Amino acid sequence: MALDYLSLLNPSQGAAVMQTEGPCMIIAGAGSGKTRVLTYRIANLLEKGVDSFNILALTFTNKAAREMRARIEKVVGPEVKNLWMGTFHSIFARILRSEADKMGYPRSFTIYDTQDSKTLVGQILKELELDDKLYKPGMVLGRISAAKNKLISVQQYLNDPAIRADDEAALRPKIGVIYQQYQQRCFKAGAMDFDDLLYQTNVLFKDHPDVLNKYQNIFKYVMVDEYQDTNYSQYLITRKLSAKDRNICVVGDDAQSIYAFRGADIQNILNFEKDYPELQVFKLEQNYRSTKNIVRAANSVIKNNQAQLRKDVFSDNEEGTLIEVLKAASDNEEGKLVAQSIYEDKMNQHLSYDDFAILYRTNAQSRAMEESLRKLNIKYKIVGGLSFYQRKEIKDLVAYLRLTVNPNDEQALRRVINYPKRGIGDTTIAKLVEAAEQSNHSLWEVVSNADQFLPARVSNPVVGFGEKIKEYTAKAAIHDAYEAAKQIAKESGMIEELYADKSIEGLSRYENIQELLNGIKAFVEDPEREEKSLGAFLQDIALVTDADTKDAQAEGEQVTLMTIHSAKGLEFRNVYIVGMEENLFPSQMMITSRADLEEERRLFYVAITRAEKKLTLSYATSRYQWGNLRSCEKSRFLDEIDPQFVDFKFAATPAGPGAGESPFGHVFERRSNLVPPAPRKTVATKYVTPSDFKPSDTSSLQTGQRVEHPKFGFGTVAKLEKQDGTTKATIKFEEVGEKTLLLSFAKLRVH
């Protein structure tokens, strides 16, 4: 079977797949097929007789783990189900739940997301009477996170003179106290944040050598993807787990290390050989993604970094077009140039808008791009917008589910104790919190026995709420996640509350709850999942990363807009990197040291290597910032690209278009005599609801029928869907486009 692998791989890939014993490092250049190598390496181990239970494969996103698992299954079959494969956080959350009693945590501990943590920090600041403008919750949380990633405990933080001096110099001497309170409150609530999943795993292995030995014997082969993105905590865990058999394989590319701001330490990959002198190194240098020009341009940029593992990335693909550089007079003109370029390429080359991506250094840059795309009627999606699980109504129901599984979850309890309203006001909640602090009990213990702490008139609704949660917990113990969640959504009063809101926003919130329940149903019906409890579902959604969330805006082909950090691991046919200006890219805040500048250069390298066929760079000579127009100079990174791979001939004049001149003509005039015109918008008469408007009976509504809505005007029924006793109608309105409405709410007049 080994020969079959080798026939599917190039020599470097094949050598990395066949080397299964001892420490090895696979340096995988951009687009070099590292997922294929990891897949076949695991398949090779299984075919050599290694028990699938003895293989640990760590990734940085659930998406990467799913993709790899699916590929391995095609090669080796169902044995793949037994692999320990997933993100660092999901694997170690699983271990911590198994060993929770040794740490003093419940097995059903809650995993706090960033918003939960910020809320808790805000509460602590209020209790300590600290100024939240000086001690901004996000900043405080970042400081705590950095400490945990470096495995600095609360006591070490409080007792370290250097740390204290740093905080005092920043006029924030109380951060150590906040850290202490934060950890105590999390522990009392039976909760861990994302950083705790790694920090507490290190504590577990340090304090319980027998547990470490147990997992060393289980994980005989350890593989780590994207090793350049690991922090100190992750580095230590993987080193400890592989210490016995030393069968550790790390895969990564130092040139794509771009997460220092999250604690990633590039030294982990640069110094890997120091930990393992017997290390075998394999370099995957053939790029299968991009044209030769794009690969060579990327090489010419990254060679300027001093701290790197040298490699010679090459491509056997076509030469490809030169990299275009667009120069605009302003950020608004830059948006116009990019939008027109996308429109022209799409039309002339018969492409889909899905083939295009616009990448930027900061989210704020999307505004000019969005405005210009809208003016040309180009649909787009922004990756990294508000996540489905961050919407208020979703967080409300999830808080009920979390409280059902772990009643000590203080953040969840505070969120829903008076939602829907049940007569428990802020004053009562404050008294409950005070009683919990004075008695050294959790907030839940006080709520459960509210009649002992509060007068009967005030305690009755609190006691009633406590009884409800106990009922939910009992039901969740005997039902799967879907049945439990459905009952909680109904019995809590949330469904009724949202159903009663007939506004467009209310309808949307109600539909979001339905979608959450649909998601839980799919979770329960997934044959791959053995554990179908509410607790298992909550862990699953708590560990969803940014890279796993999909933007579900308008359907159909769309241009993708995203930050470069969000684009890592993705690829697009045509890529636009905008805002190539000094102080923007490289960022003004990231050019205080050589290490910071080299991180910015790696970020540019990542951006370049997302492109398959065509790469366009753009910059503006002036840009609005904080309401003021300021002059800009082009990024030093543009000068680092070897000139032979760049085409400036389409650059705009700094002054912008002249009087009466097409705003795009001077950019494209050398390419063709005729620039495709922007699609014309038809001017529609504003719809006015007629005075005699009266809704029709829609029980026998059919697709194709023409209808009238009091707000959206006239439209045609495109689709009807029946689900759980309700009917959804997808209607294409003449003025506002396509809308999906619940017929039980929609006031439609049938024509």
Side-chain angles (χ1 to χ4, degrees), residues 115 120 256 320 339 389 400-401 446 461 466 550 597 619 630 684 707:
Q115 194 54 53
L120 177 54
Q256 297 185 67
Y389 290 104
Y400 268 111
L401 305 184
V446 173
K550 291 184 179 177
L597 177 60
Y619 68 99
R630 63 173 180 82
V707 295

Side-chain angles (χ1 to χ4, degrees), residues 94-165:
R94 180 177 167 187
I95 289 174
L96 286 170
R97 289 201 191 281
S98 296
E99 313 294 340
D101 55 321
K102 296 179 177 64
M103 312 287 293
Y105 282 87
R107 288 200 172 202
S108 57
F109 64 77
T110 299
I111 300 172
Y112 278 175
D113 65 15
T114 303
Q115 194 54 53
D116 294 321
S117 296
K118 279 186 181 176
T119 302
L120 177 54
V121 168
Q123 290 163 359
I124 293 168
L125 293 174
K126 196 172 181 181
E127 291 159 15
L128 294 175
E129 298 181 344
L130 294 171
D131 183 358
D132 63 2
K133 290 183 177 60
L134 181 61
Y135 289 90
K136 292 180 179 176
M139 179 278 300
V140 173
L141 200 59
R143 187 78 170 153
I144 292 171
S145 174
K148 288 183 185 177
N149 285 332
K150 292 175 183 172
L151 302 182
I152 298 171
S153 68
V154 168
Q155 288 310 312
Q156 287 172 310
Y157 195 103
L158 290 170
N159 296 330
D160 189 309
I163 293 176
R164 283 208 312 273

Side-chain angles (χ1 to χ4, degrees), residues 259 359 562-572 606-607 610:
Y259 294 118
L359 309 182
M562 65 201 318
T563 65
I564 302 168
H565 282 102
S566 300
K568 185 158 179 291
L570 303 178
E571 55 190 48
F572 300 90
V606 166
R610 299 311 93 200

Side-chain angles (χ1 to χ4, degrees), residues 534-598:
L534 195 55
F537 172 75
L538 289 171
Q539 171 162 317
D540 193 64
I541 62 169
L543 295 170
V544 169
T545 66
D546 291 345
D548 297 311
T549 55
K550 291 184 179 177
D551 194 291
Q553 296 180 34
E555 293 180 1
E557 57 180 73
Q558 303 163 86
V559 175
T560 300
L561 276 66
M562 65 201 318
T563 65
I564 302 168
H565 282 102
S566 300
K568 185 158 179 291
L570 303 178
E571 55 190 48
F572 300 90
R573 188 188 190 282
N574 290 20
V575 169
Y576 293 77
I577 308 172
V578 300
M580 292 299 305
E581 297 141 36
E582 277 298 296
N583 298 328
L584 183 55
F585 195 18
S587 166
Q588 187 172 15
M589 296 181 290
M590 296 299 293
I591 49 177
T592 56
S593 70
R594 177 169 295 281
D596 288 343
L597 177 60
E598 293 200 350

Side-chain angles (χ1 to χ4, degrees), residues 457-581:
R457 178 181 57 81
V458 181
S459 68
N460 285 341
V462 179
V463 170
F465 172 74
E467 293 301 322
K468 266 183 179 290
I469 299 303
K470 289 173 185 173
E471 286 175 25
Y472 300 160
T473 301
K475 288 176 180 175
I478 58 174
H479 292 299
D480 63 34
Y482 175 70
E483 289 300 324
K486 187 171 70 170
Q487 289 185 41
I488 292 167
K490 287 180 180 176
E491 294 173 19
S492 67
M494 268 196 70
I495 291 282
E496 186 180 352
E497 170 110 344
L498 294 173
Y499 186 83
D501 184 351
K502 303 298 185 186
S503 68
I504 298 296
E505 294 79 10
L507 175 60
S508 175
R509 286 192 285 268
Y510 178 78
E511 289 177 338
N512 284 340
I513 292 296
Q514 292 289 343
E515 186 56 36
L516 176 62
L517 293 173
N518 291 342
I520 302 176
K521 181 79 168 174
F523 173 88
V524 167
E525 291 179 349
D526 184 351
E528 299 290 315
R529 298 188 185 276
E530 295 178 17
E531 180 65 63
K532 302 181 187 295
S533 68
L534 195 55
F537 172 75
L538 289 171
Q539 171 162 317
D540 193 64
I541 62 169
L543 295 170
V544 169
T545 66
D546 291 345
D548 297 311
T549 55
K550 291 184 179 177
D551 194 291
Q553 296 180 34
E555 293 180 1
E557 57 180 73
Q558 303 163 86
V559 175
T560 300
L561 276 66
M562 65 201 318
T563 65
I564 302 168
H565 282 102
S566 300
K568 185 158 179 291
L570 303 178
E571 55 190 48
F572 300 90
R573 188 188 190 282
N574 290 20
V575 169
Y576 293 77
I577 308 172
V578 300
M580 292 299 305
E581 297 141 36

Side-chain angles (χ1 to χ4, degrees), residues 693-703 705-708 717 720 722 727-729 731 741-751:
F693 184 91
K694 187 178 179 183
S696 307
D697 176 9
T698 55
S699 58
S700 57
L701 190 68
Q702 301 291 320
T703 55
Q705 282 188 285
R706 183 172 164 79
V707 295
E708 185 181 3
V717 180
L720 293 167
K722 290 191 176 181
T727 303
K728 286 184 184 179
I731 301 170
L741 308 174
L742 284 178
L743 286 187
S744 53
F745 292 126
K747 295 180 175 68
L748 297 174
R749 179 157 72 176
V750 182
H751 286 268

Side-chain angles (χ1 to χ4, degrees), residues 47-68:
E47 293 197 347
K48 286 174 76 171
V50 175
D51 193 322
S52 53
F53 286 98
N54 295 145
I55 299 173
L56 170 64
L58 296 165
T59 64
F60 270 81
T61 66
N62 295 303
K63 179 183 172 186
R66 284 194 299 268
E67 182 183 342
M68 212 179 303

